[in-house]
Amino acid sequence: MQIKKINQLKNEIENILNDNKALEVKSINLKDKTSIADFMIIASGNSSRHIQALSEILLDELKKKG
């Protein structure tokens, strides 16, 4: 069950980033490599303002979802 929730959260984050025009969204599987995370999600943007907006949108959307 825990794996399903982790994958669901990863997919939600990727979708939020893609919906807001993040560039080169990549996820790196860290399972069994570190104890602090299962995935690392990396994305880039067109400018520093775009990247800042992406992080704010992502935080707001995740807070809404709980």
Side-chain angles (χ1 to χ4, degrees):
M1 188 65 157
Q2 183 71 7
I3 294 171
K4 186 175 181 181
K5 285 184 178 184
I6 291 168
N7 284 328
Q8 182 181 5
L9 179 59
K10 178 182 83 74
N11 291 335
E12 287 178 15
I13 291 170
E14 290 172 338
N15 289 336
I16 292 167
L17 290 170
N18 284 320
D19 290 347
N20 289 283
K21 303 196 182 345
L23 305 174
E24 300 182 39
V25 178
K26 306 279 185 207
S27 62
I28 300 170
N29 187 346
L30 300 176
K31 191 164 177 68
D32 301 325
K33 294 184 176 130
T34 181
S35 61
I36 62 169
D38 290 316
F39 289 95
M40 180 184 340
I41 301 173
I42 301 170
S44 60
N46 293 320
S47 65
S48 59
R49 179 65 191 128
H50 183 216
I51 295 167
Q52 180 67 34
L54 286 170
S55 66
E56 291 171 6
I57 291 166
L58 186 59
L59 286 174
D60 289 342
E61 291 296 319
L62 292 175
K63 283 180 185 176
K64 287 179 191 176
K65 294 177 188 273

